[in-house]
Each structure stands twice: as C-alpha cells, then as structure tokens.
C-alpha cells in the first residue's frame, strides 16, 4: 500500500515539473510576441494576463487530476523546479530560435518598409 502512494506522489511531482517546463516555454513564447508587437503597455498586460490564466488553469487541472483538489506541498515545488530546469536547460536555446524568427520578421519588415518608402516618394 505504501509503495502505491509513493508511486502516485512521484508521478504527481513529475507532472508538476512538466507543468513548470511548459509554463517556462509559454512565458518565452509570449515574451517573443511582446517583442514583435512593440512591447506596448496594453499588449504586455494582455499577454501577462493570458500567462497567468493559463498557469492557473494548468495548476488547477494538475491539483484536481492528481490529488482530488488537495494542494500538496510537493506540487508547487515540482512546478517551480520544472520552471527552474527550463530556465537553465532549455530557455537559452529557445531564445536563440525565437531570436532567429524575430530576425526573419525584421528582415521582411525592413524590406517592406523600404518598398513602402519608395512607393510614397514616387506617388508625390
């Protein structure tokens, strides 16, 4: 009986760590969209609200799925550990990839801006 409880708690802890990893990825992706959108106050608030709602929903589903609504101390600890692991192991690589994607968009934005400027000068 004790082995079953320990196995369930270990599984719940690992699920919480995966949630932390996913929330770290979500944060980086939303930060990418914030940079693409210019980082205005409204966009920042909207994306932060979206992150908080998705994080709360994920943790809610985790708690109800793993421990029938009882918040065990190891669940937030697992999510924090997962987020920290993401920040150390995966975030630098994700930032490089997202930076390249942002550079790709900046390249086309620069080309489109040049085209737009030339077109305006000719129409005058």
């Amino acid at each position: 009986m004790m082995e079953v409880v320990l196995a369930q708690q270990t599984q719940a802890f690992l699920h919480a760590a995966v949630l932390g990893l996913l929330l770290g990825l979500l944060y980086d992706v939303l930060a990418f969209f914030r940079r693409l959108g210019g980082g205005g106050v409204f966009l920042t608030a909207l994306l932060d609200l979206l992150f908080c709602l998705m994080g709360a929903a994920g943790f809610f589903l985790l708690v109800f799925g793993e421990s029938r609504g009882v918040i065990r101390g190891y669940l937030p600890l697992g999510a924090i550990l997962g987020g920290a692991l993401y920040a150390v192991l995966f975030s630098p690589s994700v930032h490089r990839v997202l930076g390249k994607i942002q550079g790709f968009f900046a390249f086309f934005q620069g080309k489109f801006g040049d085209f737009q400027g030339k077109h305006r000068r000719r129409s005058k």
Side-chain angles (χ1 to χ4, degrees), residues 8-31:
Q8 290 171 343
Q9 289 175 347
T10 303
Q11 181 181 11
F13 180 80
L14 292 174
H15 287 160
V18 169
L19 175 65
L21 288 167
L22 291 174
L23 287 175
L25 177 63
L26 176 66
Y27 183 83
D28 280 348
V29 169
L30 291 177

Side-chain angles (χ1 to χ4, degrees), residues 15 27 37 49-50 53-54 66 80 83 91 103-104 108 114:
H15 287 160
Y27 183 83
L49 178 65
L50 179 64
L53 290 174
M54 292 185 76
E66 296 294 339
I80 291 168
S91 186
F104 176 77
F108 282 108
D114 290 344

Side-chain angles (χ1 to χ4, degrees), residues 81-105:
L81 178 66
L85 284 174
Y86 172 81
V88 171
L89 298 177
F90 301 111
S91 186
S93 299
V94 170
H95 278 261
R96 277 193 299 277
V97 170
L98 293 176
K100 290 182 189 242
I101 293 171
Q102 186 177 3
F104 176 77
F105 284 123

Side-chain angles (χ1 to χ4, degrees), residues 16 19 23 53-65 71-80:
L19 175 65
L23 287 175
L53 290 174
M54 292 185 76
F59 197 74
F60 177 83
L61 292 173
L62 175 76
V63 168
F64 274 91
I71 299 177
R72 306 285 181 190
Y74 56 84
L75 293 177
L77 186 63
I80 291 168

